[in-house]
Amino acid sequence: SQQGEEDPQALSIQEGENATMNCSYKTSINNLQWYRQNSGRGLVHLILIRSNEREKHSGRLRVTLDTSKKSSSLLITASRAADTASYFCATSASGGYQKVTFGTGTKLQVIP
Amino acid sequence: DVKVTQSSRYLVKRTGEKVFLECVQDMDHENMFWYRQDPGLGLRLIYFSYDVKMKEKGDIPEGYSVSREKKERFSLILESASTNQTSMYLCASSGWARTDNEQFFGPGTRLTVL
C-alpha cells in the first residue's frame, strides 16, 4: 500500500506565485524526501528532512515536517515556468533505511 | 557527473516475449531499485538489491525477476511479457547511509507490450 499521499493531485498557478503541496503518511518514518519529475523523465531528488527536523530550506524550496500529524508540506516560492513538473514525496520507514515508498504525486503547472 | 543509465528509452514487445531491462550506475552504490510508474498509482517498487547477487521483493514482484551479477548493473526480467506490464520502468540507486538515502534515477524505459 502507498505510504505517502500527496494533496492536491493537480495545481495550476501563475508565474511568481507560491505553490504548496502536502504529503500525508501512515507509519513512523526515518526521513521524508521530495522529488521532482519532468514529463516522461526520471525523478530528481530535491530535499530530505529527517524525522527529528521540523523545517528545512533549499533555495526557493521550504519543507516542513509534522511527525505528530504524519504530514509534510513543500513550498516553492516565486514559481517559474520551469517548475512545471510532478512532485512526489517519499518516506523511509523507521528501521528500513534504504527502501523508500513514494506517493502518487502532485502535478504542478506554472503558467507564464 | 553521477549517472544512472537505462538500456532503452522506448521498447515495444509482443505478449509472451522475454524482456530484459538493463540499468547501470557509475556511483559505486550498493543499493539498486526497479520501479514501475502508472498514471494515478505513483511509483511502485518491484524489486531491490542491497548487494551483488542479493535481491529482495518489493510491493509488486509478480511476473518479474531480477539479476545483479555486478555491483554497477541491475537487470529486470519479464519472463513472459503481458499487456498489463505496459508501463514506465524506472531504475534507481542509492549509497549505504544510515539517515540519508537519496535515490538517483535513470531516465526511464517506456515499455509497450502488444
Side-chain angles (χ1 to χ4, degrees), chain A residues 2 30-31 33 35 37 40-45 48 50 88 92 96-104, chain B residues 9 31 33 35 37 40-42 44-45 50 88 90 94-103 105-107:
Chain A
Q2 293 290 340
N30 187 47
N31 65 48
Q33 304 174 49
Y35 288 79
Q37 183 181 34
R41 308 296 297 182
L43 279 71
V44 175
H45 183 263
L48 179 150
R50 300 190 183 99
F88 295 86
S92 175
Y97 298 111
Q98 295 308 313
K99 180 183 167 186
V100 300
T101 303
F102 287 84
T104 52
Chain B
R9 288 283 285 125
N31 310 297
F33 307 83
Y35 297 90
Q37 183 178 22
L41 296 177
R44 293 180 292 168
L45 182 64
Y50 288 130
M88 169 73 107
L90 292 163
S94 71
W96 188 257
R98 286 219 150 244
T99 55
D100 292 353
N101 52 353
E102 170 189 355
Q103 295 198 359
F105 280 81

mmCIF file of all heavy atoms in Angstrom, chain A residues 2 30-31 33 35 37 40-45 48 50 88 92 96-104, chain B residues 9 31 33 35 37 40-42 44-45 50 88 90 94-103 105-107:
data_model
loop_
_atom_site.group_PDB
_atom_site.id
_atom_site.type_symbol
_atom_site.label_atom_id
_atom_site.label_comp_id
_atom_site.label_asym_id
_atom_site.label_seq_id
_atom_site.Cartn_x
_atom_site.Cartn_y
_atom_site.Cartn_z
ATOM 1 N N GLN A 2 0.354 2.321 -0.528
ATOM 2 C CA GLN A 2 1.122 3.545 -0.612
ATOM 3 C C GLN A 2 1.315 4.131 0.774
ATOM 4 O O GLN A 2 0.392 4.211 1.563
ATOM 5 C CB GLN A 2 0.396 4.561 -1.504
ATOM 6 C CG GLN A 2 0.321 4.140 -2.961
ATOM 7 C CD GLN A 2 1.674 4.186 -3.655
ATOM 8 O OE1 GLN A 2 2.585 4.845 -3.202
ATOM 9 N NE2 GLN A 2 1.814 3.442 -4.726
ATOM 10 N N ASN A 30 11.814 7.410 9.152
ATOM 11 C CA ASN A 30 13.189 7.803 9.422
ATOM 12 C C ASN A 30 13.477 9.164 8.785
ATOM 13 O O ASN A 30 14.124 10.014 9.386
ATOM 14 C CB ASN A 30 14.120 6.739 8.850
ATOM 15 C CG ASN A 30 15.553 6.960 9.225
ATOM 16 O OD1 ASN A 30 15.864 7.213 10.382
ATOM 17 N ND2 ASN A 30 16.418 6.883 8.247
ATOM 18 N N ASN A 31 13.004 9.324 7.574
ATOM 19 C CA ASN A 31 13.097 10.612 6.902
ATOM 20 C C ASN A 31 12.029 10.710 5.819
ATOM 21 O O ASN A 31 11.360 9.724 5.493
ATOM 22 C CB ASN A 31 14.498 10.862 6.317
ATOM 23 C CG ASN A 31 14.863 9.878 5.208
ATOM 24 O OD1 ASN A 31 14.092 9.632 4.300
ATOM 25 N ND2 ASN A 31 16.063 9.325 5.282
ATOM 26 N N GLN A 33 11.462 12.557 1.886
ATOM 27 C CA GLN A 33 12.142 13.232 0.779
ATOM 28 C C GLN A 33 11.109 13.742 -0.218
ATOM 29 O O GLN A 33 10.011 13.201 -0.321
ATOM 30 C CB GLN A 33 13.080 12.238 0.064
ATOM 31 C CG GLN A 33 14.092 11.591 0.983
ATOM 32 C CD GLN A 33 14.891 10.515 0.286
ATOM 33 O OE1 GLN A 33 15.418 10.723 -0.792
ATOM 34 N NE2 GLN A 33 14.988 9.354 0.916
ATOM 35 N N TYR A 35 10.816 14.693 -4.396
ATOM 36 C CA TYR A 35 11.420 14.533 -5.714
ATOM 37 C C TYR A 35 10.586 15.274 -6.737
ATOM 38 O O TYR A 35 9.373 15.451 -6.582
ATOM 39 C CB TYR A 35 11.461 13.041 -6.111
ATOM 40 C CG TYR A 35 12.456 12.201 -5.356
ATOM 41 C CD1 TYR A 35 12.179 11.741 -4.070
ATOM 42 C CD2 TYR A 35 13.677 11.847 -5.934
ATOM 43 C CE1 TYR A 35 13.091 10.956 -3.380
ATOM 44 C CE2 TYR A 35 14.592 11.065 -5.256
ATOM 45 C CZ TYR A 35 14.293 10.622 -3.981
ATOM 46 O OH TYR A 35 15.200 9.837 -3.300
ATOM 47 N N GLN A 37 9.688 15.344 -11.007
ATOM 48 C CA GLN A 37 9.766 14.595 -12.252
ATOM 49 C C GLN A 37 9.230 15.454 -13.380
ATOM 50 O O GLN A 37 8.041 15.808 -13.395
ATOM 51 C CB GLN A 37 8.957 13.298 -12.172
ATOM 52 C CG GLN A 37 9.067 12.451 -13.427
ATOM 53 C CD GLN A 37 8.233 11.181 -13.359
ATOM 54 O OE1 GLN A 37 7.162 11.162 -12.771
ATOM 55 N NE2 GLN A 37 8.740 10.094 -13.951
ATOM 56 N N GLY A 40 7.730 12.624 -18.464
ATOM 57 C CA GLY A 40 8.328 11.486 -19.148
ATOM 58 C C GLY A 40 9.772 11.203 -18.801
ATOM 59 O O GLY A 40 10.446 10.471 -19.528
ATOM 60 N N ARG A 41 10.266 11.777 -17.719
ATOM 61 C CA ARG A 41 11.671 11.592 -17.357
ATOM 62 C C ARG A 41 11.798 10.917 -15.994
ATOM 63 O O ARG A 41 10.810 10.625 -15.331
ATOM 64 C CB ARG A 41 12.391 12.946 -17.307
ATOM 65 C CG ARG A 41 12.233 13.798 -18.552
ATOM 66 C CD ARG A 41 12.853 13.176 -19.755
ATOM 67 N NE ARG A 41 14.299 13.020 -19.621
ATOM 68 C CZ ARG A 41 15.074 12.531 -20.590
ATOM 69 N NH1 ARG A 41 14.544 12.131 -21.719
ATOM 70 N NH2 ARG A 41 16.374 12.425 -20.404
ATOM 71 N N GLY A 42 13.042 10.683 -15.580
ATOM 72 C CA GLY A 42 13.296 10.128 -14.258
ATOM 73 C C GLY A 42 13.103 11.178 -13.171
ATOM 74 O O GLY A 42 12.933 12.360 -13.452
ATOM 75 N N LEU A 43 13.110 10.728 -11.934
ATOM 76 C CA LEU A 43 12.924 11.643 -10.811
ATOM 77 C C LEU A 43 14.243 12.257 -10.377
ATOM 78 O O LEU A 43 15.298 11.630 -10.476
ATOM 79 C CB LEU A 43 12.310 10.897 -9.619
ATOM 80 C CG LEU A 43 10.806 10.677 -9.660
ATOM 81 C CD1 LEU A 43 10.415 9.646 -10.698
ATOM 82 C CD2 LEU A 43 10.298 10.254 -8.285
ATOM 83 N N VAL A 44 14.160 13.468 -9.865
ATOM 84 C CA VAL A 44 15.326 14.176 -9.354
ATOM 85 C C VAL A 44 15.081 14.531 -7.891
ATOM 86 O O VAL A 44 14.026 15.073 -7.546
ATOM 87 C CB VAL A 44 15.594 15.458 -10.173
ATOM 88 C CG1 VAL A 44 16.727 16.258 -9.555
ATOM 89 C CG2 VAL A 44 15.914 15.112 -11.616
ATOM 90 N N HIS A 45 16.048 14.213 -7.058
ATOM 91 C CA HIS A 45 15.919 14.488 -5.625
ATOM 92 C C HIS A 45 15.992 15.990 -5.372
ATOM 93 O O HIS A 45 16.853 16.686 -5.904
ATOM 94 C CB HIS A 45 17.061 13.790 -4.889
ATOM 95 C CG HIS A 45 17.009 13.935 -3.414
ATOM 96 N ND1 HIS A 45 17.723 14.893 -2.726
ATOM 97 C CD2 HIS A 45 16.307 13.255 -2.476
ATOM 98 C CE1 HIS A 45 17.476 14.783 -1.446
ATOM 99 N NE2 HIS A 45 16.623 13.796 -1.264
ATOM 100 N N LEU A 48 15.696 16.485 1.528
ATOM 101 C CA LEU A 48 15.415 15.439 2.509
ATOM 102 C C LEU A 48 15.289 16.081 3.874
ATOM 103 O O LEU A 48 16.085 16.953 4.232
ATOM 104 C CB LEU A 48 16.555 14.420 2.509
ATOM 105 C CG LEU A 48 16.490 13.230 3.477
ATOM 106 C CD1 LEU A 48 17.221 12.035 2.876
ATOM 107 C CD2 LEU A 48 17.065 13.567 4.839
ATOM 108 N N ARG A 50 14.826 14.961 7.979
ATOM 109 C CA ARG A 50 14.868 13.839 8.916
ATOM 110 C C ARG A 50 13.728 13.938 9.911
ATOM 111 O O ARG A 50 13.158 15.009 10.134
ATOM 112 C CB ARG A 50 16.218 13.803 9.634
ATOM 113 C CG ARG A 50 17.385 13.641 8.700
ATOM 114 C CD ARG A 50 18.688 13.375 9.451
ATOM 115 N NE ARG A 50 19.805 13.300 8.545
ATOM 116 C CZ ARG A 50 20.654 14.303 8.318
ATOM 117 N NH1 ARG A 50 20.505 15.441 8.937
ATOM 118 N NH2 ARG A 50 21.653 14.133 7.469
ATOM 119 N N PHE A 88 6.798 14.438 -5.956
ATOM 120 C CA PHE A 88 6.488 13.249 -5.170
ATOM 121 C C PHE A 88 7.152 13.330 -3.805
ATOM 122 O O PHE A 88 8.317 13.731 -3.700
ATOM 123 C CB PHE A 88 7.019 11.988 -5.870
ATOM 124 C CG PHE A 88 6.363 11.687 -7.174
ATOM 125 C CD1 PHE A 88 6.821 12.260 -8.345
ATOM 126 C CD2 PHE A 88 5.291 10.811 -7.230
ATOM 127 C CE1 PHE A 88 6.214 11.975 -9.566
ATOM 128 C CE2 PHE A 88 4.678 10.511 -8.439
ATOM 129 C CZ PHE A 88 5.140 11.102 -9.604
ATOM 130 N N SER A 92 10.906 7.001 4.170
ATOM 131 C CA SER A 92 11.759 5.901 4.561
ATOM 132 C C SER A 92 11.330 5.480 5.954
ATOM 133 O O SER A 92 11.408 6.272 6.891
ATOM 134 C CB SER A 92 13.213 6.375 4.561
ATOM 135 O OG SER A 92 14.062 5.362 5.040
ATOM 136 N N GLY A 96 14.160 0.859 8.324
ATOM 137 C CA GLY A 96 14.376 0.401 6.948
ATOM 138 C C GLY A 96 15.032 1.505 6.170
ATOM 139 O O GLY A 96 14.380 2.262 5.471
ATOM 140 N N TYR A 97 16.326 1.618 6.286
ATOM 141 C CA TYR A 97 16.982 2.843 5.852
ATOM 142 C C TYR A 97 17.020 3.044 4.349
ATOM 143 O O TYR A 97 17.036 4.173 3.894
ATOM 144 C CB TYR A 97 18.417 2.847 6.384
ATOM 145 C CG TYR A 97 18.465 2.829 7.890
ATOM 146 C CD1 TYR A 97 18.915 1.711 8.588
ATOM 147 C CD2 TYR A 97 18.046 3.925 8.628
ATOM 148 C CE1 TYR A 97 18.943 1.695 9.966
ATOM 149 C CE2 TYR A 97 18.069 3.914 9.999
ATOM 150 C CZ TYR A 97 18.522 2.798 10.667
ATOM 151 O OH TYR A 97 18.539 2.770 12.024
ATOM 152 N N GLN A 98 17.056 1.996 3.606
ATOM 153 C CA GLN A 98 17.299 2.181 2.185
ATOM 154 C C GLN A 98 16.050 2.156 1.326
ATOM 155 O O GLN A 98 15.999 2.786 0.284
ATOM 156 C CB GLN A 98 18.294 1.118 1.696
ATOM 157 C CG GLN A 98 19.663 1.274 2.318
ATOM 158 C CD GLN A 98 20.204 2.681 2.162
ATOM 159 O OE1 GLN A 98 20.164 3.278 1.093
ATOM 160 N NE2 GLN A 98 20.708 3.259 3.251
ATOM 161 N N LYS A 99 15.041 1.436 1.743
ATOM 162 C CA LYS A 99 13.835 1.348 0.928
ATOM 163 C C LYS A 99 12.965 2.564 1.199
ATOM 164 O O LYS A 99 12.742 2.940 2.344
ATOM 165 C CB LYS A 99 13.077 0.070 1.287
ATOM 166 C CG LYS A 99 11.805 -0.147 0.509
ATOM 167 C CD LYS A 99 11.110 -1.406 0.993
ATOM 168 C CE LYS A 99 9.695 -1.465 0.458
ATOM 169 N NZ LYS A 99 8.948 -2.599 1.010
ATOM 170 N N VAL A 100 12.512 3.219 0.129
ATOM 171 C CA VAL A 100 11.598 4.345 0.287
ATOM 172 C C VAL A 100 10.305 4.025 -0.427
ATOM 173 O O VAL A 100 10.278 3.250 -1.378
ATOM 174 C CB VAL A 100 12.201 5.666 -0.236
ATOM 175 C CG1 VAL A 100 13.460 6.016 0.507
ATOM 176 C CG2 VAL A 100 12.428 5.631 -1.719
ATOM 177 N N THR A 101 9.230 4.615 0.038
ATOM 178 C CA THR A 101 7.910 4.417 -0.555
ATOM 179 C C THR A 101 7.415 5.751 -1.072
ATOM 180 O O THR A 101 7.356 6.726 -0.312
ATOM 181 C CB THR A 101 6.942 3.842 0.479
ATOM 182 O OG1 THR A 101 7.481 2.625 0.999
ATOM 183 C CG2 THR A 101 5.596 3.552 -0.166
ATOM 184 N N PHE A 102 7.037 5.774 -2.336
ATOM 185 C CA PHE A 102 6.619 7.012 -2.990
ATOM 186 C C PHE A 102 5.108 7.175 -2.951
ATOM 187 O O PHE A 102 4.352 6.208 -2.999
ATOM 188 C CB PHE A 102 7.077 7.010 -4.450
ATOM 189 C CG PHE A 102 8.545 7.217 -4.614
ATOM 190 C CD1 PHE A 102 9.434 6.161 -4.510
ATOM 191 C CD2 PHE A 102 9.058 8.491 -4.864
ATOM 192 C CE1 PHE A 102 10.794 6.356 -4.639
ATOM 193 C CE2 PHE A 102 10.424 8.688 -5.006
ATOM 194 C CZ PHE A 102 11.289 7.624 -4.894
ATOM 195 N N GLY A 103 4.697 8.431 -2.894
ATOM 196 C CA GLY A 103 3.289 8.755 -3.017
ATOM 197 C C GLY A 103 2.891 8.854 -4.478
ATOM 198 O O GLY A 103 3.667 8.570 -5.385
ATOM 199 N N THR A 104 1.670 9.305 -4.700
ATOM 200 C CA THR A 104 1.110 9.344 -6.054
ATOM 201 C C THR A 104 1.414 10.651 -6.786
ATOM 202 O O THR A 104 1.190 10.744 -7.978
ATOM 203 C CB THR A 104 -0.403 9.122 -6.017
ATOM 204 O OG1 THR A 104 -0.973 10.031 -5.075
ATOM 205 C CG2 THR A 104 -0.730 7.693 -5.598
ATOM 206 N N ARG B 9 15.069 3.848 -24.038
ATOM 207 C CA ARG B 9 14.051 4.826 -23.619
ATOM 208 C C ARG B 9 12.647 4.326 -23.962
ATOM 209 O O ARG B 9 11.706 4.554 -23.223
ATOM 210 C CB ARG B 9 14.291 6.163 -24.312
ATOM 211 C CG ARG B 9 15.486 6.905 -23.789
ATOM 212 C CD ARG B 9 15.212 7.573 -22.448
ATOM 213 N NE ARG B 9 14.385 8.755 -22.582
ATOM 214 C CZ ARG B 9 13.247 8.953 -21.923
ATOM 215 N NH1 ARG B 9 12.791 8.050 -21.074
ATOM 216 N NH2 ARG B 9 12.572 10.059 -22.095
ATOM 217 N N ASN B 31 22.990 -0.071 -3.312
ATOM 218 C CA ASN B 31 21.571 -0.367 -3.449
ATOM 219 C C ASN B 31 21.042 0.016 -4.819
ATOM 220 O O ASN B 31 21.344 1.104 -5.324
ATOM 221 C CB ASN B 31 20.776 0.410 -2.402
ATOM 222 C CG ASN B 31 21.343 0.242 -1.013
ATOM 223 O OD1 ASN B 31 21.375 -0.850 -0.482
ATOM 224 N ND2 ASN B 31 21.831 1.335 -0.436
ATOM 225 N N PHE B 33 17.332 -0.308 -7.396
ATOM 226 C CA PHE B 33 15.882 -0.487 -7.304
ATOM 227 C C PHE B 33 15.265 -0.484 -8.698
ATOM 228 O O PHE B 33 15.727 0.226 -9.584
ATOM 229 C CB PHE B 33 15.257 0.680 -6.517
ATOM 230 C CG PHE B 33 15.881 0.919 -5.167
ATOM 231 C CD1 PHE B 33 17.038 1.671 -5.046
ATOM 232 C CD2 PHE B 33 15.299 0.399 -4.023
ATOM 233 C CE1 PHE B 33 17.618 1.903 -3.806
ATOM 234 C CE2 PHE B 33 15.872 0.627 -2.778
ATOM 235 C CZ PHE B 33 17.027 1.369 -2.678
ATOM 236 N N TYR B 35 11.381 0.256 -10.240
ATOM 237 C CA TYR B 35 10.014 0.697 -10.010
ATOM 238 C C TYR B 35 9.254 0.649 -11.335
ATOM 239 O O TYR B 35 9.833 0.770 -12.407
ATOM 240 C CB TYR B 35 9.986 2.151 -9.539
ATOM 241 C CG TYR B 35 10.667 2.444 -8.227
ATOM 242 C CD1 TYR B 35 12.018 2.796 -8.184
ATOM 243 C CD2 TYR B 35 9.966 2.405 -7.031
ATOM 244 C CE1 TYR B 35 12.645 3.091 -6.986
ATOM 245 C CE2 TYR B 35 10.583 2.707 -5.818
ATOM 246 C CZ TYR B 35 11.921 3.048 -5.813
ATOM 247 O OH TYR B 35 12.528 3.343 -4.620
ATOM 248 N N GLN B 37 5.903 2.839 -12.983
ATOM 249 C CA GLN B 37 5.096 4.031 -12.744
ATOM 250 C C GLN B 37 3.901 4.020 -13.667
ATOM 251 O O GLN B 37 4.056 3.952 -14.898
ATOM 252 C CB GLN B 37 5.914 5.299 -12.978
ATOM 253 C CG GLN B 37 5.150 6.569 -12.665
ATOM 254 C CD GLN B 37 5.980 7.814 -12.843
ATOM 255 O OE1 GLN B 37 6.978 7.824 -13.556
ATOM 256 N NE2 GLN B 37 5.585 8.890 -12.180
ATOM 257 N N GLY B 40 -1.798 7.738 -11.867
ATOM 258 C CA GLY B 40 -2.666 7.636 -10.694
ATOM 259 C C GLY B 40 -2.180 6.704 -9.614
ATOM 260 O O GLY B 40 -2.733 6.671 -8.516
ATOM 261 N N LEU B 41 -1.119 5.935 -9.915
ATOM 262 C CA LEU B 41 -0.616 4.965 -8.927
ATOM 263 C C LEU B 41 0.763 5.334 -8.393
ATOM 264 O O LEU B 41 1.279 4.671 -7.491
ATOM 265 C CB LEU B 41 -0.570 3.561 -9.542
ATOM 266 C CG LEU B 41 -1.920 2.971 -9.946
ATOM 267 C CD1 LEU B 41 -1.716 1.608 -10.605
ATOM 268 C CD2 LEU B 41 -2.854 2.851 -8.743
ATOM 269 N N GLY B 42 1.368 6.353 -8.952
ATOM 270 C CA GLY B 42 2.696 6.731 -8.487
ATOM 271 C C GLY B 42 3.731 5.687 -8.847
ATOM 272 O O GLY B 42 3.578 4.924 -9.792
ATOM 273 N N ARG B 44 5.747 2.294 -7.892
ATOM 274 C CA ARG B 44 5.613 1.090 -7.075
ATOM 275 C C ARG B 44 6.884 0.259 -7.220
ATOM 276 O O ARG B 44 7.362 0.032 -8.326
ATOM 277 C CB ARG B 44 4.384 0.285 -7.501
ATOM 278 C CG ARG B 44 3.071 0.997 -7.203
ATOM 279 C CD ARG B 44 1.867 0.172 -7.651
ATOM 280 N NE ARG B 44 1.799 0.073 -9.095
ATOM 281 C CZ ARG B 44 1.006 -0.769 -9.753
ATOM 282 N NH1 ARG B 44 0.226 -1.611 -9.077
ATOM 283 N NH2 ARG B 44 0.975 -0.780 -11.073
ATOM 284 N N LEU B 45 7.390 -0.196 -6.095
ATOM 285 C CA LEU B 45 8.647 -0.926 -6.074
ATOM 286 C C LEU B 45 8.445 -2.375 -6.500
ATOM 287 O O LEU B 45 7.619 -3.090 -5.937
ATOM 288 C CB LEU B 45 9.246 -0.870 -4.664
ATOM 289 C CG LEU B 45 10.585 -1.546 -4.456
ATOM 290 C CD1 LEU B 45 11.677 -0.864 -5.285
ATOM 291 C CD2 LEU B 45 10.960 -1.529 -2.983
ATOM 292 N N TYR B 50 20.469 -5.054 -2.271
ATOM 293 C CA TYR B 50 21.401 -4.410 -1.349
ATOM 294 C C TYR B 50 22.856 -4.664 -1.733
ATOM 295 O O TYR B 50 23.752 -3.976 -1.245
ATOM 296 C CB TYR B 50 21.219 -4.945 0.070
ATOM 297 C CG TYR B 50 19.954 -4.495 0.751
ATOM 298 C CD1 TYR B 50 19.108 -5.416 1.366
ATOM 299 C CD2 TYR B 50 19.609 -3.152 0.802
ATOM 300 C CE1 TYR B 50 17.950 -5.002 2.012
ATOM 301 C CE2 TYR B 50 18.458 -2.732 1.438
ATOM 302 C CZ TYR B 50 17.636 -3.664 2.044
ATOM 303 O OH TYR B 50 16.494 -3.254 2.683
ATOM 304 N N MET B 88 5.837 2.569 -17.536
ATOM 305 C CA MET B 88 7.144 3.220 -17.463
ATOM 306 C C MET B 88 7.930 2.521 -16.361
ATOM 307 O O MET B 88 7.432 2.383 -15.233
ATOM 308 C CB MET B 88 6.969 4.703 -17.140
ATOM 309 C CG MET B 88 8.260 5.410 -16.792
ATOM 310 S SD MET B 88 9.313 5.676 -18.217
ATOM 311 C CE MET B 88 9.077 7.447 -18.423
ATOM 312 N N LEU B 90 11.361 2.526 -14.080
ATOM 313 C CA LEU B 90 12.407 3.418 -13.582
ATOM 314 C C LEU B 90 13.377 2.646 -12.704
ATOM 315 O O LEU B 90 12.961 1.906 -11.813
ATOM 316 C CB LEU B 90 11.787 4.564 -12.776
ATOM 317 C CG LEU B 90 10.952 5.557 -13.580
ATOM 318 C CD1 LEU B 90 10.071 6.375 -12.656
ATOM 319 C CD2 LEU B 90 11.840 6.477 -14.382
ATOM 320 N N SER B 94 21.144 3.981 -4.730
ATOM 321 C CA SER B 94 21.480 4.807 -3.565
ATOM 322 C C SER B 94 22.660 4.185 -2.847
ATOM 323 O O SER B 94 22.900 2.979 -2.934
ATOM 324 C CB SER B 94 20.291 4.964 -2.619
ATOM 325 O OG SER B 94 20.021 3.745 -1.953
ATOM 326 N N GLY B 95 23.401 5.045 -2.122
ATOM 327 C CA GLY B 95 24.523 4.561 -1.344
ATOM 328 C C GLY B 95 24.058 4.078 0.006
ATOM 329 O O GLY B 95 22.908 4.271 0.381
ATOM 330 N N TRP B 96 24.973 3.480 0.753
ATOM 331 C CA TRP B 96 24.610 2.960 2.063
ATOM 332 C C TRP B 96 24.855 4.034 3.109
ATOM 333 O O TRP B 96 25.961 4.339 3.461
ATOM 334 C CB TRP B 96 25.439 1.714 2.394
ATOM 335 C CG TRP B 96 24.953 1.050 3.643
ATOM 336 C CD1 TRP B 96 25.511 1.111 4.875
ATOM 337 C CD2 TRP B 96 23.776 0.270 3.780
ATOM 338 N NE1 TRP B 96 24.759 0.404 5.773
ATOM 339 C CE2 TRP B 96 23.684 -0.117 5.141
ATOM 340 C CE3 TRP B 96 22.770 -0.134 2.899
ATOM 341 C CZ2 TRP B 96 22.639 -0.904 5.625
ATOM 342 C CZ3 TRP B 96 21.731 -0.913 3.380
ATOM 343 C CH2 TRP B 96 21.672 -1.291 4.720
ATOM 344 N N ALA B 97 23.756 4.620 3.601
ATOM 345 C CA ALA B 97 23.872 5.644 4.631
ATOM 346 C C ALA B 97 22.750 5.430 5.632
ATOM 347 O O ALA B 97 21.652 5.031 5.272
ATOM 348 C CB ALA B 97 23.758 7.036 4.026
ATOM 349 N N ARG B 98 23.017 5.724 6.871
ATOM 350 C CA ARG B 98 22.017 5.426 7.909
ATOM 351 C C ARG B 98 20.811 6.339 7.827
ATOM 352 O O ARG B 98 19.697 5.926 8.070
ATOM 353 C CB ARG B 98 22.648 5.527 9.292
ATOM 354 C CG ARG B 98 23.538 4.371 9.570
ATOM 355 C CD ARG B 98 23.387 3.917 11.019
ATOM 356 N NE ARG B 98 23.641 2.498 11.093
ATOM 357 C CZ ARG B 98 22.729 1.591 11.451
ATOM 358 N NH1 ARG B 98 21.529 1.965 11.781
ATOM 359 N NH2 ARG B 98 23.040 0.323 11.471
ATOM 360 N N THR B 99 21.018 7.591 7.509
ATOM 361 C CA THR B 99 19.883 8.520 7.558
ATOM 362 C C THR B 99 19.595 9.199 6.225
ATOM 363 O O THR B 99 18.491 9.656 5.995
ATOM 364 C CB THR B 99 20.139 9.625 8.601
ATOM 365 O OG1 THR B 99 21.378 10.252 8.308
ATOM 366 C CG2 THR B 99 20.154 9.050 10.004
ATOM 367 N N ASP B 100 20.561 9.298 5.371
ATOM 368 C CA ASP B 100 20.342 9.987 4.099
ATOM 369 C C ASP B 100 20.401 8.973 2.970
ATOM 370 O O ASP B 100 21.466 8.491 2.624
ATOM 371 C CB ASP B 100 21.405 11.080 3.892
ATOM 372 C CG ASP B 100 21.232 12.206 4.886
ATOM 373 O OD1 ASP B 100 20.227 12.189 5.625
ATOM 374 O OD2 ASP B 100 22.092 13.094 4.919
ATOM 375 N N ASN B 101 19.272 8.652 2.403
ATOM 376 C CA ASN B 101 19.203 7.603 1.393
ATOM 377 C C ASN B 101 18.620 8.128 0.097
ATOM 378 O O ASN B 101 17.739 7.516 -0.498
ATOM 379 C CB ASN B 101 18.398 6.422 1.920
ATOM 380 C CG ASN B 101 17.044 6.858 2.473
ATOM 381 O OD1 ASN B 101 16.760 8.040 2.569
ATOM 382 N ND2 ASN B 101 16.218 5.898 2.818
ATOM 383 N N GLU B 102 19.130 9.281 -0.331
ATOM 384 C CA GLU B 102 18.710 9.878 -1.591
ATOM 385 C C GLU B 102 18.875 8.882 -2.725
ATOM 386 O O GLU B 102 19.912 8.214 -2.837
ATOM 387 C CB GLU B 102 19.560 11.116 -1.861
ATOM 388 C CG GLU B 102 19.404 11.694 -3.248
ATOM 389 C CD GLU B 102 20.429 12.774 -3.516
ATOM 390 O OE1 GLU B 102 21.176 13.126 -2.588
ATOM 391 O OE2 GLU B 102 20.475 13.256 -4.657
ATOM 392 N N GLN B 103 17.871 8.790 -3.561
ATOM 393 C CA GLN B 103 17.938 7.879 -4.699
ATOM 394 C C GLN B 103 18.192 8.670 -5.978
ATOM 395 O O GLN B 103 17.670 9.761 -6.177
ATOM 396 C CB GLN B 103 16.633 7.091 -4.826
ATOM 397 C CG GLN B 103 16.408 6.164 -3.637
ATOM 398 C CD GLN B 103 15.404 5.077 -3.902
ATOM 399 O OE1 GLN B 103 14.817 4.962 -4.968
ATOM 400 N NE2 GLN B 103 15.187 4.225 -2.906
ATOM 401 N N PHE B 105 17.934 8.485 -10.072
ATOM 402 C CA PHE B 105 17.106 7.775 -11.036
ATOM 403 C C PHE B 105 17.680 7.826 -12.450
ATOM 404 O O PHE B 105 18.310 8.811 -12.855
ATOM 405 C CB PHE B 105 15.706 8.378 -11.077
ATOM 406 C CG PHE B 105 14.832 7.917 -9.948
ATOM 407 C CD1 PHE B 105 14.924 8.505 -8.703
ATOM 408 C CD2 PHE B 105 13.935 6.884 -10.138
ATOM 409 C CE1 PHE B 105 14.131 8.072 -7.648
ATOM 410 C CE2 PHE B 105 13.133 6.448 -9.092
ATOM 411 C CZ PHE B 105 13.231 7.040 -7.851
ATOM 412 N N GLY B 106 17.411 6.774 -13.193
ATOM 413 C CA GLY B 106 17.662 6.790 -14.625
ATOM 414 C C GLY B 106 16.511 7.492 -15.338
ATOM 415 O O GLY B 106 15.519 7.876 -14.716
ATOM 416 N N PRO B 107 16.622 7.650 -16.662
ATOM 417 C CA PRO B 107 15.617 8.397 -17.422
ATOM 418 C C PRO B 107 14.319 7.628 -17.653
ATOM 419 O O PRO B 107 13.322 8.219 -18.060
ATOM 420 C CB PRO B 107 16.307 8.670 -18.762
ATOM 421 C CG PRO B 107 17.295 7.556 -18.899
ATOM 422 C CD PRO B 107 17.756 7.238 -17.510
#
